[in-house]
Short mmCIF file of all heavy atoms in Angstrom, two decimals:
data_model
loop_
_atom_site.label_atom_id
_atom_site.label_comp_id
_atom_site.label_asym_id
_atom_site.label_seq_id
_atom_site.Cartn_x
_atom_site.Cartn_y
_atom_site.Cartn_z
N LEU A 295 174.59 5.59 212.89
CA LEU A 295 174.74 7.02 212.61
C LEU A 295 174.65 7.92 213.72
O LEU A 295 175.10 9.02 213.74
CB LEU A 295 173.68 7.36 211.50
CG LEU A 295 173.81 6.69 210.11
CD1 LEU A 295 172.72 7.19 209.17
CD2 LEU A 295 175.27 7.00 209.54
N PHE A 296 173.97 7.46 214.80
CA PHE A 296 173.81 8.26 216.02
C PHE A 296 175.02 8.17 217.00
O PHE A 296 175.50 9.21 217.59
CB PHE A 296 172.55 7.84 216.76
CG PHE A 296 171.25 8.05 215.99
CD1 PHE A 296 170.66 7.07 215.21
CD2 PHE A 296 170.72 9.33 215.87
CE1 PHE A 296 169.48 7.38 214.52
CE2 PHE A 296 169.55 9.60 215.25
CZ PHE A 296 169.00 8.57 214.41
N SER A 297 175.50 6.93 217.16
CA SER A 297 176.59 6.66 218.11
C SER A 297 177.98 6.64 217.40
O SER A 297 179.05 6.79 218.12
CB SER A 297 176.40 5.46 218.96
OG SER A 297 176.41 4.32 218.14
N GLY A 298 177.98 6.41 216.13
CA GLY A 298 179.22 6.12 215.45
C GLY A 298 179.85 4.79 215.79
O GLY A 298 181.04 4.45 215.40
N GLN A 299 179.18 3.95 216.43
CA GLN A 299 179.64 2.59 216.97
C GLN A 299 179.62 1.68 215.67
O GLN A 299 178.59 1.64 214.98
CB GLN A 299 178.95 2.16 218.08
CG GLN A 299 179.62 0.99 218.72
CD GLN A 299 178.86 0.58 220.05
OE1 GLN A 299 177.70 0.87 220.26
NE2 GLN A 299 179.48 -0.09 220.95
N VAL A 300 180.69 0.87 215.54
CA VAL A 300 180.73 -0.14 214.41
C VAL A 300 180.35 -1.43 215.00
O VAL A 300 180.80 -1.88 216.10
CB VAL A 300 182.21 -0.24 213.82
CG1 VAL A 300 182.16 -1.28 212.77
CG2 VAL A 300 182.61 1.14 213.35
N GLY A 301 179.48 -2.20 214.26
CA GLY A 301 178.99 -3.49 214.75
C GLY A 301 178.74 -4.31 213.56
O GLY A 301 178.92 -4.03 212.46
N ASP A 302 178.41 -5.63 213.88
CA ASP A 302 178.14 -6.63 212.84
C ASP A 302 176.69 -6.64 212.48
O ASP A 302 175.79 -6.64 213.33
CB ASP A 302 178.58 -7.96 213.41
CG ASP A 302 179.98 -8.12 213.51
OD1 ASP A 302 180.79 -7.56 212.66
OD2 ASP A 302 180.49 -8.92 214.45
N LEU A 303 176.35 -6.69 211.16
CA LEU A 303 175.09 -6.88 210.64
C LEU A 303 174.93 -8.28 210.27
O LEU A 303 175.70 -8.92 209.61
CB LEU A 303 174.85 -6.05 209.48
CG LEU A 303 173.56 -6.35 208.61
CD1 LEU A 303 172.29 -6.13 209.30
CD2 LEU A 303 173.59 -5.44 207.25
N SER A 304 173.82 -8.96 210.69
CA SER A 304 173.57 -10.31 210.36
C SER A 304 171.93 -10.49 210.40
O SER A 304 171.31 -10.41 211.44
CB SER A 304 174.13 -11.30 211.24
OG SER A 304 173.84 -12.71 210.86
N ALA A 305 171.36 -10.69 209.14
CA ALA A 305 169.95 -10.77 209.08
C ALA A 305 169.47 -11.76 208.08
O ALA A 305 170.20 -11.94 206.95
CB ALA A 305 169.37 -9.38 208.63
N VAL A 306 168.42 -12.44 208.38
CA VAL A 306 167.88 -13.48 207.46
C VAL A 306 166.59 -13.01 207.03
O VAL A 306 165.75 -12.65 207.90
CB VAL A 306 167.86 -14.88 208.12
CG1 VAL A 306 167.07 -15.94 207.24
CG2 VAL A 306 169.10 -15.37 208.60
N HIS A 307 166.33 -13.08 205.73
CA HIS A 307 165.06 -12.53 205.14
C HIS A 307 164.39 -13.58 204.40
O HIS A 307 164.97 -14.38 203.51
CB HIS A 307 165.39 -11.31 204.28
CG HIS A 307 165.89 -10.11 205.04
ND1 HIS A 307 165.19 -9.31 205.71
CD2 HIS A 307 167.19 -9.56 205.06
CE1 HIS A 307 165.91 -8.29 206.24
NE2 HIS A 307 167.20 -8.51 205.84
N ASP A 308 163.06 -13.62 204.55
CA ASP A 308 162.22 -14.44 203.78
C ASP A 308 162.05 -13.79 202.42
O ASP A 308 161.92 -12.53 202.44
CB ASP A 308 160.83 -14.74 204.41
CG ASP A 308 160.91 -15.55 205.68
OD1 ASP A 308 161.76 -16.38 205.81
OD2 ASP A 308 160.14 -15.27 206.57
N PHE A 309 162.02 -14.59 201.35
CA PHE A 309 161.68 -13.94 200.03
C PHE A 309 160.72 -14.88 199.21
O PHE A 309 160.51 -16.01 199.51
CB PHE A 309 163.00 -13.74 199.27
CG PHE A 309 163.67 -14.90 198.88
CD1 PHE A 309 163.34 -15.67 197.79
CD2 PHE A 309 164.85 -15.38 199.66
CE1 PHE A 309 164.13 -16.84 197.36
CE2 PHE A 309 165.57 -16.47 199.33
CZ PHE A 309 165.18 -17.23 198.13
N SER A 310 160.07 -14.31 198.31
CA SER A 310 159.19 -15.04 197.40
C SER A 310 159.15 -14.44 196.01
O SER A 310 159.31 -13.20 195.89
CB SER A 310 157.74 -14.99 197.99
OG SER A 310 156.84 -15.76 197.18
N PHE A 311 159.05 -15.29 195.05
CA PHE A 311 158.92 -14.73 193.65
C PHE A 311 158.27 -15.78 192.87
O PHE A 311 158.10 -17.01 193.20
CB PHE A 311 160.36 -14.38 193.11
CG PHE A 311 161.26 -15.48 192.92
CD1 PHE A 311 161.49 -16.00 191.65
CD2 PHE A 311 161.89 -16.15 193.99
CE1 PHE A 311 162.43 -17.01 191.49
CE2 PHE A 311 162.77 -17.18 193.76
CZ PHE A 311 163.03 -17.61 192.55
N THR A 312 157.95 -15.45 191.59
CA THR A 312 157.27 -16.36 190.63
C THR A 312 158.10 -16.64 189.47
O THR A 312 159.08 -15.81 189.21
CB THR A 312 155.92 -15.90 190.23
OG1 THR A 312 155.98 -14.59 189.67
CG2 THR A 312 154.95 -15.75 191.50
N THR A 313 157.79 -17.52 188.61
CA THR A 313 158.58 -17.81 187.39
C THR A 313 157.61 -18.14 186.25
O THR A 313 156.43 -18.56 186.55
CB THR A 313 159.53 -18.93 187.54
OG1 THR A 313 158.87 -20.16 187.93
CG2 THR A 313 160.56 -18.64 188.72
N ARG A 314 158.15 -18.00 185.09
CA ARG A 314 157.37 -18.54 183.86
C ARG A 314 158.16 -19.71 183.36
O ARG A 314 159.34 -19.77 183.25
CB ARG A 314 157.36 -17.47 182.84
CG ARG A 314 156.40 -17.98 181.59
CD ARG A 314 156.32 -16.87 180.53
NE ARG A 314 157.60 -16.74 179.79
CZ ARG A 314 158.31 -15.62 179.75
NH1 ARG A 314 157.94 -14.50 180.40
NH2 ARG A 314 159.47 -15.54 179.03
N LEU A 315 157.40 -20.80 183.20
CA LEU A 315 157.96 -22.12 182.72
C LEU A 315 157.63 -22.34 181.16
O LEU A 315 156.35 -22.38 180.89
CB LEU A 315 157.46 -23.22 183.54
CG LEU A 315 158.03 -24.67 183.23
CD1 LEU A 315 159.51 -24.70 183.45
CD2 LEU A 315 157.32 -25.71 184.15
N ASP A 316 158.62 -22.45 180.37
CA ASP A 316 158.41 -22.72 179.01
C ASP A 316 159.04 -23.97 178.66
O ASP A 316 160.32 -24.23 178.90
CB ASP A 316 159.06 -21.59 178.17
CG ASP A 316 158.35 -20.22 178.35
OD1 ASP A 316 157.14 -20.20 178.18
OD2 ASP A 316 159.07 -19.31 178.74
N ILE A 317 158.18 -24.96 178.12
CA ILE A 317 158.68 -26.28 177.79
C ILE A 317 158.62 -26.54 176.32
O ILE A 317 157.64 -26.53 175.64
CB ILE A 317 157.91 -27.35 178.53
CG1 ILE A 317 157.81 -27.08 180.05
CG2 ILE A 317 158.32 -28.75 178.24
CD1 ILE A 317 156.85 -27.92 180.77
N GLY A 318 159.87 -26.70 175.70
CA GLY A 318 160.02 -26.89 174.26
C GLY A 318 160.20 -28.44 173.97
O GLY A 318 160.05 -29.24 174.97
N ALA A 319 160.44 -28.80 172.78
CA ALA A 319 160.64 -30.24 172.44
C ALA A 319 161.87 -30.76 173.18
O ALA A 319 161.86 -31.93 173.64
CB ALA A 319 160.78 -30.38 170.93
N ASP A 320 162.90 -29.89 173.24
CA ASP A 320 164.11 -30.44 173.83
C ASP A 320 164.76 -29.40 174.95
O ASP A 320 165.86 -29.52 175.30
CB ASP A 320 165.24 -30.58 172.76
CG ASP A 320 164.78 -31.60 171.76
OD1 ASP A 320 164.41 -32.74 172.13
OD2 ASP A 320 164.94 -31.23 170.48
N THR A 321 163.98 -28.35 175.19
CA THR A 321 164.41 -27.37 176.17
C THR A 321 163.37 -27.10 177.24
O THR A 321 162.18 -27.28 177.03
CB THR A 321 164.75 -26.05 175.40
OG1 THR A 321 163.51 -25.65 174.77
CG2 THR A 321 165.77 -26.33 174.37
#
Side-chain angles (χ1 to χ4, degrees):
L295 296 179
F296 295 99
S297 65
Q299 193 172 21
V300 179
D302 291 326
L303 165 65
S304 179
V306 176
H307 295 285
D308 294 328
F309 64 83
S310 180
F311 67 105
T312 59
T313 61
R314 186 179 72 244
L315 181 62
D316 296 303
I317 303 172
D320 302 308
T321 60

